[in-house]
Amino acid sequence: TMPSIFSYQSAEVDWCEGNFERSTVIAEYYNTVNGTTLFSLLLLTPLNFLVLEGAGMGNLSLLLAGIFSMYFHMTLSYVGQLLDELSILWTLAVAYSFWYPRVYFPRFIKSRKHFFWLSGVTTVISTFMSFIKPAFNAYVLNCIAFHLLYLTWCELKKCNDKRVHRMAAAMVVWWALAISSWLSDRWLCGLWQAINFPYFHSFWHVLIAMSLLYCCPLVIYFDVSYEMPSFKPKLGYWPSDSWPVVVPYITLEEPHKQC
């Protein structure tokens, strides 16, 4: 008989880390613990969205992504897998709907409202398609990052602010480390198990969260430049520029000067 979709280990995907080695109720202990770390770091990213339209939806989507990631790795259930992947899909949909620059809209899109509906319909269709082969979803979602990197590159060509370029470089470095860890866990699992170090997916959680900490201020910076032209966005770091690990944020100054 078909296992319950809520049952432990009913998911199509099982990561490299051994199951139930350190707990009788947590399937992948380190992936779940670092999923908690992901959730904790994502608590910081909503602070960057306070000045943006759609902040509530963005905050909720990010927090749900962290919660569902923990649930999935704790249970390795089919429902957990879908919740984990679909929460990322809908988070991206929210980001595109509210903050995709108007200058990059397709020609047939005449307003933000029209683009919102296009994003919504595309996301609903993608959601239903996700049930066909859930194990393939993660690869598709990771490919969306290349489009985001392309958009960042397009915006950086128009901007001479060195802080913005450094922020973008930091984001790309964290993302490259994250995707390398993710692929290593998927493709080189036998090697990592042979040397008793099958924890690269847990690194992915922390590294991608660090990338998001730098990505969110960039989204704000470019969004303010387009949507609030009377202000000049300025990058800052909490608690201090001199600290090795910081939380970047945006302040708004007047008058606006062309970046």
Side-chain angles (χ1 to χ4, degrees):
T1 60
M2 287 289 291
S4 169
I5 59 175
F6 292 94
S7 298
Y8 273 65
Q9 296 180 282
S10 58
E12 289 188 352
V13 175
D14 190 352
W15 299 95
C16 197
E17 182 182 352
N19 299 330
F20 301 106
E21 291 184 344
R22 290 169 176 79
S23 172
T24 58
V25 296
I26 299 176
E28 295 177 340
Y29 182 81
Y30 287 108
N31 284 346
T32 303
V33 169
N34 279 1
T36 306
T37 304
L38 169 65
F39 175 68
S40 300
L41 288 173
L42 287 177
L43 286 175
L44 298 175
T45 58
L47 298 176
N48 290 309
F49 284 109
L50 294 179
V51 299
L52 292 179
E53 180 184 5
M57 287 293 294
N59 294 350
L60 179 61
S61 298
L62 285 169
L63 294 177
L64 287 178
I67 292 171
F68 290 148
S69 176
M70 288 187 290
Y71 173 70
F72 169 47
H73 290 294
M74 184 178 72
T75 64
L76 289 180
S77 66
Y78 182 80
V79 166
Q81 179 185 348
L82 287 176
L83 288 174
D84 181 32
E85 292 167 353
L86 292 180
S87 65
I88 297 173
L89 172 64
W90 281 86
T91 298
L92 289 170
V94 169
Y96 270 77
S97 296
F98 286 103
W99 306 306
Y100 192 76
R102 297 173 190 267
V103 294
Y104 300 118
F105 281 3
R107 291 185 178 180
F108 62 89
I109 297 295
K110 304 302 181 183
S111 67
R112 175 70 64 179
K113 182 178 180 180
H114 291 162
F115 186 76
F116 180 87
W117 281 105
L118 174 64
S119 300
V121 171
T122 302
T123 305
V124 170
I125 294 173
S126 300
T127 298
F128 284 110
M129 291 179 63
S130 297
F131 288 87
I132 298 175
K133 187 61 178 176
F136 186 66
N137 297 343
Y139 290 94
V140 175
L141 291 172
N142 276 311
C143 286
I144 296 175
F146 291 102
H147 183 244
L148 296 175
L149 291 174
Y150 170 74
L151 290 176
T152 301
W153 177 72
C154 290
E155 289 301 311
L156 290 177
K157 289 194 300 181
K158 301 183 247 180
C159 181
N160 295 320
D161 190 326
K162 292 183 179 180
R163 278 200 161 204
V164 175
H165 284 260
R166 287 198 300 269
M167 180 82 74
M171 177 193 73
V172 172
V173 168
W174 286 113
W175 174 82
L177 291 172
I179 195 63
S180 297
S181 297
W182 192 92
L183 292 173
S184 293
D185 192 272
R186 296 304 305 157
W187 295 352
L188 301 175
C189 181
L191 171 63
W192 307 133
Q193 288 181 339
I195 63 175
N196 198 30
F197 197 79
Y199 307 118
F200 277 89
H201 189 78
S202 65
F203 295 162
W204 147 265
H205 287 151
V206 177
L207 294 170
I208 199 64
M210 292 299 298
S211 182
L212 284 173
L213 282 178
Y214 290 92
C215 178
C216 292
L218 283 177
V219 171
I220 296 173
Y221 188 95
F222 297 134
D223 188 73
V224 169
S225 298
Y226 282 115
E227 304 296 336
M228 304 172 66
S230 62
F231 289 92
K232 172 181 168 57
K234 182 180 179 181
L235 287 171
Y237 299 97
W238 181 87
S240 169
D241 287 19
S242 61
W243 282 46
V245 179
V246 296
V247 177
Y249 63 92
I250 297 291
T251 58
L252 303 181
E253 296 181 352
E254 291 185 289
H256 173 72
K257 295 181 182 179
Q258 187 64 35
C259 178

